[in-house]
Amino acid sequence: MKCADVQRVLPEVIENRQDGELEAHLKSCPACSELVSDLKLISSEARQLSASDEPAPRVWVRIAAELRAEGVIREPEAATPAPATTSRRSWSAWWLVPVAAALLAGASYIVTHKPAPQVAGQQGPAVTTPAAPASQPPATVAQAPAAKASSPQNAKNREVAEASSAEDQQFLSEVSQRAPGMRVTYENQLRSVNNYIRDAQAYLDQNPDDEDARQHLIEAYQQKAMLYQMALDHVQ
Amino acid sequence: MTDPKPGSITEAEAIERAKQGDEAAFEILYHLHKRRVYSLCLRMLSNPAQAEDLAQEAFLQLFRKISTFRGESAFSTWLHRMTVNVVLMQLRKKGLPLVSLEETLETEEETPKKELGAQDVKLTGSIDRLQLQRAIDRLPPGYKTVFVLHDVEGFEHNEIAELVGCSIGNSKSQLHKARLKLRDYLKFMRAEKAGNT
């Protein structure tokens, strides 16, 4: 067998077909031997790329929202009806609307405010305050002691996380009272979107000039706002 | 309703619950298969945003039809075939050839021979994963389709021929040429890296 003949049988060789003539040629031809070895290596390494990448949490958030809108995901019946004296609409109006709007305001803040070196003791940006529910004075969140933080940016992130956690707990508590059957649904959705926000924020902290990272964080907040809006729609 | 976590129920149980509209079951199925579906889309399109959109579309198509799933084939096989079809449909919409145009332009004598006897950079032993991803991204669309489906995703040539709409021989030929091109790209990248250090 000559080098040119190797070309004819090469595809089958890579598929691990045995060929005695070829084996003999490869032992005496370093170039063909290296070619076969390289192609086998490429083929085997490529297999490792299957399932190697993780989609962003927003993908599931969007899928779930679509399935819910189409009725493929069915909401379980509420175990107990809302108290007759309380209008569902009025409940959602005082609680969900301002929070959804505030989250969108937070996203807008991220668009327009690139991180800049902060002066020690500087008040956290507006993004920390709108996440607080309307029934809870935003100042209680915004006035968290930044002095304990290792850096102003970390302090800001902690404030956001604390505000978000408190607001989510109140949100879930309200859902449990008003529509108990929906609690698990919204708990899962909140977990996904909060993970997304956390990941996006962490990446942006490390890459403050990365516009894609900034856009991801904006989308994360927008998705959380969308979640609150969906809750609003459900309870109306 | 309980809140099953991945691992707490089997895939078959999750499928049955999903047929009843249980969100937690849908979420389990999603998390079981999200990496493979998204990675397939990403490899084929080389664009994270489009890959997310198509992964979403593949899952939506599957979940909408989940009540028709009878279990004759593996759920994963069903999902991955659906994902490939969604991706191929997108490539067709974009006007990208599923079978490389170079196939018809290159003669059998041309492409591979230049590889023989090359005494340049060697791949020897290992390939950096990131470099391999970048090399795949550079492949012409048709070569990329066949390479990803066969070498990355493990489809057989007869399956690829059916999915893409080409002959089995054509699929084999494109795969071989894709591997040769990847070898060229990887050697070039390695030489470039060596030159920079």
Side-chain angles (χ1 to χ4, degrees):
Chain A
M1 180 178 278
K2 296 178 179 175
C3 291
D5 298 323
V6 173
Q7 295 304 318
R8 274 188 303 104
V9 295
L10 203 46
E12 279 71 29
V13 172
I14 308 301
E15 308 299 325
N16 290 321
R17 306 265 168 80
Q18 298 297 316
D19 185 310
E21 263 193 280
L22 177 77
E23 293 301 321
H25 175 77
L26 294 181
K27 283 179 183 169
S28 62
C29 178
C32 285
S33 176
E34 189 186 318
L35 174 63
V36 170
S37 171
D38 283 353
L39 296 187
K40 282 186 173 178
L41 179 64
I42 288 169
S43 184
S44 65
E45 290 294 317
R47 200 77 183 93
Q48 309 304 315
L49 295 180
S50 178
S52 60
D53 292 88
E54 174 96 14
R58 64 174 166 270
V59 177
W60 168 247
V61 173
R62 294 195 306 225
I63 290 171
E66 185 71 27
L67 292 177
R68 201 175 295 110
E70 294 177 12
V72 179
I73 287 177
R74 293 177 205 136
E75 302 296 350
E77 293 299 319
T80 54
T85 54
T86 307
S87 157
R88 287 186 167 194
R89 189 177 183 88
S90 65
W91 165 69
S92 59
W94 71 260
W95 161 248
L96 291 171
V97 173
V99 175
L103 285 164
L104 284 171
S108 303
Y109 175 85
I110 295 166
V111 174
T112 53
H113 291 68
K114 283 192 175 186
Q118 294 195 16
V119 179
Q122 184 179 348
Q123 185 74 355
V127 70
T128 60
T129 56
S135 59
Q136 180 181 346
T140 59
V141 176
Q143 288 169 357
K148 292 180 183 175
S150 55
S151 73
Q153 187 66 37
N154 288 344
K156 182 188 76 179
N157 293 345
R158 260 201 295 277
E159 286 171 7
V160 172
E162 286 166 7
S164 177
S165 174
E167 140 203 322
D168 289 350
Q169 287 309 312
Q170 189 172 348
F171 168 69
L172 290 173
S173 169
E174 294 286 351
V175 169
S176 296
Q177 288 176 28
R178 307 288 171 171
M182 290 160 61
R183 175 171 172 117
V184 172
T185 298
Y186 282 104
E187 199 168 13
N188 290 338
Q189 292 299 308
L190 270 177
R191 193 182 312 120
S192 291
V193 79
N194 282 337
N195 287 341
Y196 179 26
I197 289 173
R198 187 197 60 217
D199 294 346
Q201 181 70 63
Y203 188 79
L204 184 61
D205 289 346
Q206 291 172 357
N207 306 276
D209 296 323
D210 188 329
E211 287 303 320
D212 287 340
R214 187 170 304 280
Q215 190 59 38
H216 280 308
L217 185 55
I218 292 164
E219 288 176 12
Y221 277 109
Q222 286 171 336
Q223 286 185 23
K224 188 161 183 179
M226 188 172 71
L227 188 61
Y228 277 95
Q229 185 61 48
M230 283 192 300
L232 173 68
D233 294 341
H234 269 128
V235 297
Q236 276 180 350
Chain B
M1 180 177 67
T2 57
D3 180 19
K5 300 286 187 295
S8 64
I9 64 172
T10 65
E11 182 181 76
E13 288 168 336
I15 291 168
E16 288 310 308
R17 287 197 193 188
K19 286 179 180 178
Q20 308 306 314
D22 182 339
E23 177 176 358
F26 280 115
E27 191 169 5
I28 286 174
L29 292 173
Y30 171 77
H31 286 297
L32 281 173
H33 298 284
K34 63 181 177 180
R35 291 179 70 92
R36 189 166 174 203
V37 167
Y38 175 69
S39 297
L40 168 58
C41 296
L42 187 58
R43 291 286 96 69
M44 296 274 273
L45 293 159
S46 306
N47 179 314
Q50 288 180 9
E52 283 185 3
D53 288 346
L54 291 194
Q56 176 182 336
E57 182 58 29
F59 274 109
L60 281 173
Q61 286 195 17
L62 180 108
F63 288 157
R64 286 174 188 138
K65 294 178 185 170
I66 200 162
S67 61
T68 67
F69 182 72
R70 295 284 174 263
E72 289 90 354
S73 63
F75 183 78
S76 59
T77 305
W78 192 39
L79 173 59
H80 297 138
R81 275 188 160 261
M82 196 167 279
T83 307
V84 172
N85 280 327
V86 166
V87 172
L88 293 178
M89 185 68 72
Q90 175 69 11
L91 294 177
R92 287 188 185 100
K93 277 185 192 169
K94 291 168 76 175
L96 294 171
L98 303 186
V99 178
S100 177
L101 295 174
E102 289 184 45
E103 178 71 13
T104 56
L105 301 176
E106 291 174 342
T107 63
E108 193 118 1
E109 287 74 32
E110 279 173 337
T111 344
K113 276 189 175 173
K114 58 186 177 225
E115 302 293 326
L116 293 175
Q119 295 298 315
D120 48 8
V121 183
K122 296 180 179 181
L123 295 182
T124 56
S126 69
I127 299 173
D128 178 72
R129 191 187 121 185
L130 191 59
Q131 283 193 338
L132 181 57
Q133 285 181 7
R134 286 178 178 161
I136 293 171
D137 289 346
R138 288 178 58 183
L139 282 174
Y143 288 171
K144 188 193 291 183
T145 302
V146 175
F147 180 81
V148 170
L149 291 180
H150 189 279
D151 276 8
V152 180
E153 298 299 329
F155 283 89
E156 299 293 338
H157 284 295
N158 62 324
E159 295 174 302
I160 295 170
E162 185 190 328
L163 285 163
V164 173
C166 68
S167 69
I168 292 174
N170 200 339
S171 174
K172 287 183 178 178
S173 167
Q174 298 230 355
L175 174 65
H176 181 53
K177 289 177 180 177
R179 288 172 178 159
L180 290 173
K181 277 191 180 293
L182 286 175
R183 184 184 188 233
D184 278 349
Y185 294 155
L186 288 165
K187 282 188 166 191
F188 178 77
M189 288 175 185
R190 192 163 286 193
E192 203 174 42
K193 194 174 178 183
N196 289 337
T197 54

